[in-house]
């Protein structure tokens, strides 16, 4: 069985490797794109996103999810570039298979959970955004969508990122409801996913995915360095419960739907 698993991995048929998640804008399988826009370009040789998706990822008011980065004033370019890169990784990477998790949603069936993001990526993201302003810690849910785009919920205050997210770990792990995990590993270690890489040197995340896929096969019930079980509680709700959430949220004052982008509200 071990030899068969290894052979499948070599042949590129490992179910955790070189795959696209089942989500709103992802291709059914990765493949080359003639060109991808700016910060998404490192994935052009093997991408889960299309050229149009990569272009939309760079817009302030993207048609991908109608999500507005400037909900508390204009987000500075040095901060915004990290969110664009984050979007490119999510939409384009074929190397997130070991962290794909099933969700019960009307528009997507899978999300990522606890992807070990390299220490430098988290720290640079936090450093460049610490003086930016936001009104929410978890951007996946709880927005006011009455106007068709995300607005701060009634009663919330716009505060600096450094107050909402006191540490790089808080930003990486909380902003997308544990999609990422702050890793102590550094770029080039082969043990953490990089949002930033030079395509001329190859995609380092392919080796990282292979490493964690191997560990997952050897111990499928164990998530490597996973966050506490409580972080995953929302994903363990009975199927009937998520179905009632939109109705419950719609009854709350100041909340229109409660759903946003990239799995917003669909943990």
């Amino acid at each position: 069985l071990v030899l068969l698993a290894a052979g499948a991995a070599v042949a590129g048929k490992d179910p955790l490797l070189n795959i696209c998640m089942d989500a709103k804008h992802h291709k059914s399988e990765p493949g080359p794109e003639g060109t991808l826009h700016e910060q998404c370009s490192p994935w052009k040789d093997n991408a889960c996103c299309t050229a149009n998706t990569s272009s939309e990822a760079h817009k302030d008011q993207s048609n991908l999810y109608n999500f507005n980065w400037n909900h508390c004033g204009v987000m500075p370019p040095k901060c915004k570039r990290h969110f664009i890169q984050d979007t490119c990784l999510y939409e384009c990477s074929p190397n997130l298979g070991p962290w794909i998790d099933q969700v019960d949603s009307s528009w997507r069936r899978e999300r990522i959970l606890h992807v070990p993001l390299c220490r430098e990526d988290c720290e640079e993201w936090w450093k460049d955004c610490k003086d930016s302003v936001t009104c929410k810690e978890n951007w996946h849910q709880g927005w006011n969508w009455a106007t068709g785009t995300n607005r701060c919920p009634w009663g919330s205050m716009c505060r600096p990122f450094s107050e909402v997210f006191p540490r790089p770990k808080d930003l990486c792990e909380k902003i997308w409801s544990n999609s990422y995990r702050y890793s102590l590993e550094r770029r080039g270690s082969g043990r953490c996913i990089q949002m930033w890489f030079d395509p001329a040197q190859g995609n380092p995340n392919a080796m990282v995915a292979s490493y964690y896929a191997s560990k997952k096969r050897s111990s499928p019930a164990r998530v490597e360095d996973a966050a506490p079980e409580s972080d995953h509680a929302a994903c363990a709700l009975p199927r009937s419960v998520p179905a009632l959430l939109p109705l419950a949220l719609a009854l709350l004052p100041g909340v229109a739907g409660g759903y946003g982008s990239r799995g917003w509200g669909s943990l």
Side-chain angles (χ1 to χ4, degrees), residues 70-92:
N70 304 320
H71 52 269
C72 275
V74 177
M75 179 182 284
K78 69 175 183 179
C79 176
K80 189 176 298 177
R81 73 188 186 102
H82 291 274
F83 283 97
I84 293 173
Q85 199 71 49
D86 157 52
T87 302
C88 288
L89 175 68
Y90 171 81
E91 299 289 352
C92 302

Side-chain angles (χ1 to χ4, degrees), residues 32-45:
E33 291 290 324
T35 180
L36 292 180
H37 196 62
E38 294 184 11
Q39 288 178 246
C40 293
S41 62
W43 288 276
K44 68 182 181 65
D45 291 335

Side-chain angles (χ1 to χ4, degrees), residues 107 123 232:
W107 60 274
E123 291 176 349
H232 191 68

Side-chain angles (χ1 to χ4, degrees), residues 186-235:
R186 296 189 176 275
R187 294 175 191 159
S189 65
R191 300 293 183 268
C192 62
I193 292 292
Q194 298 179 204
M195 282 204 300
W196 311 87
F197 64 88
D198 179 1
Q201 305 298 320
N203 183 345
N205 295 333
M207 181 173 67
V208 178
S210 181
Y211 170 77
Y212 283 98
S214 176
K215 293 189 73 67
K216 193 166 186 176
R217 283 193 301 271
S218 63
S219 183
R222 178 173 175 263
V223 178
E224 182 72 10
D225 296 326
E229 183 66 25
S230 58
D231 290 340
H232 191 68
C235 300

Side-chain angles (χ1 to χ4, degrees), residues 58-104:
H58 290 74
K59 296 180 180 179
D60 287 345
Q61 188 71 51
S62 171
N63 288 327
L64 293 178
Y65 304 103
N66 294 323
F67 194 84
N68 181 17
W69 306 120
N70 304 320
H71 52 269
C72 275
V74 177
M75 179 182 284
K78 69 175 183 179
C79 176
K80 189 176 298 177
R81 73 188 186 102
H82 291 274
F83 283 97
I84 293 173
Q85 199 71 49
D86 157 52
T87 302
C88 288
L89 175 68
Y90 171 81
E91 299 289 352
C92 302
S93 177
N95 309 124
L96 301 175
W99 305 280
I100 289 177
D101 196 59
Q102 303 299 308
V103 290
D104 191 351

Side-chain angles (χ1 to χ4, degrees), residues 142-146 151-154 249-257:
W143 297 98
N144 182 339
W145 289 91
R151 299 179 66 183
C152 292
W154 183 84
L249 287 169
L251 297 176
L252 294 176
V255 177

Side-chain angles (χ1 to χ4, degrees), residues 46-63:
N46 191 37
C48 286
C49 62
T50 63
N52 180 65
T53 296
S54 73
S55 179
E56 289 292 331
H58 290 74
K59 296 180 180 179
D60 287 345
Q61 188 71 51
S62 171
N63 288 327

